[in-house]
Amino acid sequence: MSDIQNQIAANGQAALSSVAAAQTLADLDHVRVTVLGKKGTLSEALKSLGQVPAEERPKLGALANEWKSKVESAIDARKVDLEAKQIELELVKTKLDVTLPSRKIHQGSLHPITQTVRKVSQVLGRIGFDVAVGPEIETDFLNFEAVNIPKDHPARDMQDTFFIGPGVVLRSQTSPVQMRAMRSQKWPVRILSPGVVYRCDSDATHSPMFHQIEGLWVDQKVSLADLKGVLDFFAKELFGSDTKIRLRPSYFPFVEPGAEVDVSCAICAGKNPTCSMCKGTGWLEILGAGMVHPRLFELAGYTPSEVSGFAFGMGVERIAMLLHDIPDLRLMFQGDQRFLKQF
Amino acid sequence: MKVSYQWLNEWVDLSGFNSPQQLADLLTARGLEVEDVRRQDQGFEKVITVQIINKQKHPEADRLSLCTVNPGSGEYLEIVCGAQNMKIGDIVCLAQIGALLPNGLKIEKSKIRGVVSNGMLCSETELGLKKESDGILILPEKTPLGWKLSDVFGLDDTVLEIKLTANRGDCLSHRGIAREVAAAIGKELKAPTVKELTFANSPIKVELQAGADAPQFYGCYIDHIKVGPSPKWLKTRLETIGQRSINNIVDVSNFLMFEFGYPVHIYDADKIEGGVIRVRKSEKGEKLPLLDGGEVETTGEELVIADAKKAIGLAGVMGGGNSEVSDATTRVFLECAEFNPTLVRRAAFRTGRRSEASLRFEKGIDPTGLKLAIARLAALVLKVASPDLEAKVIGAAEAVQATAHPKKTIQTSVATINQQLGTTLSTEKITTILKNLECEIETTGESFKITPPSYRLDLAISQDIAEEVARTIGYEAIPSTIPVLTGMPRSEKNDPVFHRLSTIDRMKDILMEQGLSEIISYAFHSDPWLQKFGMKSTVKVLNPISEDQSCMVPSLLPGIMKAYQENERHHFGSEPLPVRLFELRPVFDYRGTSAIEAKGESDTGVTEQWRVSFLISGPRFDQALKAERGEVDFFDAKAIVETLFDTLATKGIRMRAATSELLGGAASLFHSGQSIQVAAGKEGVGFFGRIHPKLESELKLRNPVFWGEFNIEPVIGLTPMKERSFCAWSTFPTMERDFALLVSDSVSADHLIQSALKNGKPIAKVVKIFDTYKGAHIPEGKVSIGVRVIFSDAAKSLEEKQIDQCSELIVKKWQDEFQAVLR
């Protein structure tokens, strides 16, 4: 072996060791320059081939190029390793404690009353009801007389009313909206009137301000059976398809026949005598209903013999409390975010 | 109304019922809702009679006694007792361990101040026998020991509490309920036989002087009665249904009312002057002493019962103190009469004396049965107030107007009833049902002419008959159908009502998405609370429950601020509490010069203006490290408002800095340097901004609070009804130029933007402020503002030269208009 041959091999070996020893991309680049650069050891070796006999040149040239490509591929391989390592290092350096709190934006909420009104409107909207609204301060005439509760009628005891002035009240029911609707359009009438109502009553289960939704359906030949069907559909949609309804005869001056309507208790189905919802009766009273009294049609300007209809009314708070297991009515009106954000 | 099962059983045979509960279920299903079924011995199961053998002071407590009692068996028990009214030898009631008393008290074995008590000696209050009592109940000397209290008292009846609807005045008696039961089970009523009175020879004559307001009056004069305690049967009947026994005369009139349903009255006949009783309208200013010891002054509206000289009773409400039966009374005059329900109701309300009697008159009594009722009353008086059998009827008087017994008929048909109910009932079925209800029926083919029984004042129209049929067959027997939808359902397109409601819904959704929680606050507050905000209500509740709920709100601020304070009240954390609320509802205003009064059938003169209000305070983020959470400021509030109107796509919303002049009445509410007026079109709809620092400190707000309130109707009016149309954007690149301007700090950024947009037309499409700086290197009174102008053209790529020219013009105008200096 010539000295040059040995020299090339030794330089090549040294270069491979340097490549293996390089710890950073900068180190590696340094190795590349010192070995493969213009003045690099292998380049110099190739240059020195001019001094060797011509017949040895091809062999030595081939050897030098062989080492050169060996070193080049070693550098490339090492580069991949080192780049991966550097990225790894970068990841470690920028590692976060991902369990720290996020910058969560505030979550808003709609009042359970609003949500319940929407649910009820949606369910009944499917079978043809439209929503109508009206003023909260009403005439005594529309609040009472127009719904068949004349002055001095004992039925006035059923609703303790707030007065604003002679003949002016805070509406004690949303029925005036129905009368306003009937007076402004010809039948058929299919409306829902959700809204705020007021009664002089305040304790754990009564609020002086609360919400009602009333429904009214007026057309030719509407029957009590139709009322039952609509309420049955409504109860099943709202409380689940196993829900049953029960109508009990009752009295409201604006309907005849009249009924109290119970739904079956979804919590215990009447099996738990100490059920917090139904007290073991298996039934929850949720609304009042009946066939529109013909007196209302007269006052609306309809001909009572031509039309019939049904009406029903429910307390929205009651429904919302049932749907969401809310234990105390007063929570609804305190504006406490701990309450509001749960729904 | 309370109904005694045993008493009812005297009127109708209840032997077919397995239990009182079964009867209750039947009544409820027929519309007479039974709210409670209570055995009288309920709560007394573990209460027994014991004798006190020894009584000494509790070793650890002066006020307590330690009693040894004998329950009859000789197995003595030690009981700790707080009462002092008993002595050794007394027989008292012991609630044993495990007893659950009528008032809900559960007796458990307990140590009281170190001494074990094996039960509790009971007072009448604890036993639910009286509302108030002094000390424990001491029983008569010879009461047997170890007996159950229910046996001692003979408590073996069951009481049904019935919630009667306002139309069923006919059921306000045992006879009335019995009629319902009899009709339901197809049995006969067991009415007592009553000997008729002969209406003659009454020493006191009766005169009706009030026309149709007092159509009938029956009187009966009885001599030689003796006032005294009631016999046991009478006491028991009354006490069972919660009535206190007074004396035989008072008790017997109460008994008749709860038995027959007629409110009656008994006068001391010797106190009636002039031998006459007149029913007349009062004169204004008559002074009438009443049985309850009070006195009323008449208004001239109410009916009174009078003798020749004076009023002796407020008709239908209460008897007079000047004709009251006393222990010395020996001659009585009985009254059973009919009065105008409305007059009785008004008189009872006005004098604050609504009673069992007035309640029955208000709902209307059976006009045909008065004669029978007075005869029954007379018989009862003779039975209970004549121990020596000397009492006798001297005579009786009657006065009846010709119009006293109106008969009404209802015309209907099988088809009508079936149509109303959605049923297919046969003529026979309907006829049977109505006959059981004592209706008289004339059938002509399919049509009915129905005469309801005289006591059913509530049956007047065909629908009433339909209900009678429905409740008899049971509402569960009515089919269930979905009604046919006739006509076209309402179109939501271009419907202003629908648009309004759906816009309100969207407003709520948008505010919720901004992290706000919807509240519903009371629409009334106290006057002082409104005054805190410089507000006064023009709409007041005349009969509020409390002053706190007397003033209808003129703004949503008082309510939302109350909710803010409620949230702050229970917040004890070191970091400020995020409070983010909104409310959407009407406020109330009245502008009339005279007091509020109904004008016509549907106008109150009160304006209801729907508004939306929001309030934010506290950290900007729901959660984050403290340094990153930040705290909301004016621009967070501005973001909410902009997002609301942008999302709604409301047209013509303008905002401008609010000055004190612009704020007007709201100047005391808002920080004038941190608030904005919002206008929809030309109409100012409200303001938002920071709460005025003075109000902030008056309300003791712990953190800055930002609030806004807008009238929503103009906003809804400018919110498009139609669907949004697609809008194309330029496909050519946009170009940007940034400028750093030094301007006076009185120049508002918006003016710079508007100027650039105007002068950079048509290619300066967007102008943004991206930075402001005050401080080092910036002269006092100046501010450095970074403005970015974005240029684009829909049809071509812009050339540098064009942008340079445009920029020069923009800058020149800034220099001219605002003395701006380019830095």
Side-chain angles (χ1 to χ4, degrees), chain B residues 428-501:
Chain B
E428 293 68 39
K429 177 85 183 164
I430 293 173
T431 313
T432 310
I433 289 169
L434 295 176
K435 280 189 173 154
N436 279 344
L437 289 163
E438 300 189 63
C439 290
E440 288 168 27
I441 309 174
E442 276 178 51
T443 316
T444 322
E446 276 246 310
S447 60
F448 291 139
K449 191 173 156 193
I450 298 165
T451 310
S454 57
Y455 53 86
R456 290 300 302 273
L457 303 174
D458 59 319
L459 302 184
I461 56 175
S462 170
Q463 282 80 353
D464 295 325
I465 298 300
E467 178 173 80
E468 292 305 301
V469 172
R471 71 186 186 94
T472 303
I473 64 169
Y475 277 18
E476 71 279 359
I478 306 286
S480 190
T481 53
I482 292 287
V484 177
L485 207 63
T486 64
M488 283 286 274
R490 193 172 75 181
S491 165
E492 290 170 359
K493 275 275 178 225
N494 309 323
D495 179 334
V497 174
F498 179 82
H499 172 66
R500 179 175 182 278
L501 294 172

Side-chain angles (χ1 to χ4, degrees), chain A residues 196-238:
Chain A
V196 172
V197 298
Y198 302 84
R199 290 184 198 173
C200 300
D201 211 346
S202 184
D203 57 37
T205 54
H206 294 92
S207 166
M209 184 185 107
F210 60 102
H211 297 75
Q212 268 194 344
I213 300 179
E214 291 190 27
L216 174 72
W217 185 300
V218 178
D219 205 340
Q220 281 175 308
K221 294 195 170 18
V222 178
S223 74
L224 184 62
D226 293 332
L227 169 62
K228 241 181 115 173
V230 166
L231 293 178
D232 196 27
F233 167 76
F234 167 74
K236 285 185 163 62
E237 287 296 300
L238 207 61

Side-chain angles (χ1 to χ4, degrees), chain B residues 680-700:
Chain B
K682 284 183 181 154
E683 195 176 349
V685 294
F687 301 93
F688 69 90
R690 182 169 174 172
I691 292 285
H692 196 290
K694 188 158 170 278
L695 185 57
E696 228 172 64
S697 75
E698 279 167 8
L699 294 170
K700 301 191 175 65

Side-chain angles (χ1 to χ4, degrees), chain B residues 37 65 128 168 190 218 296 372 417 504 542 546 548 585 588 598 682 752:
Chain B
V37 179
S65 307
R168 293 304 300 271
K190 297 193 287 179
Y218 293 86
V296 292
L372 185 71
I417 290 171
I504 286 174
L542 300 178
S546 72
D548 282 353
R585 61 162 287 114
F588 305 88
K682 284 183 181 154
L752 296 173

Side-chain angles (χ1 to χ4, degrees), chain B residues 705-717:
Chain B
V705 170
F706 301 86
W707 162 71
E709 181 167 316
F710 313 111
N711 175 10
I712 63 168
E713 304 302 342
V715 174
I716 293 169

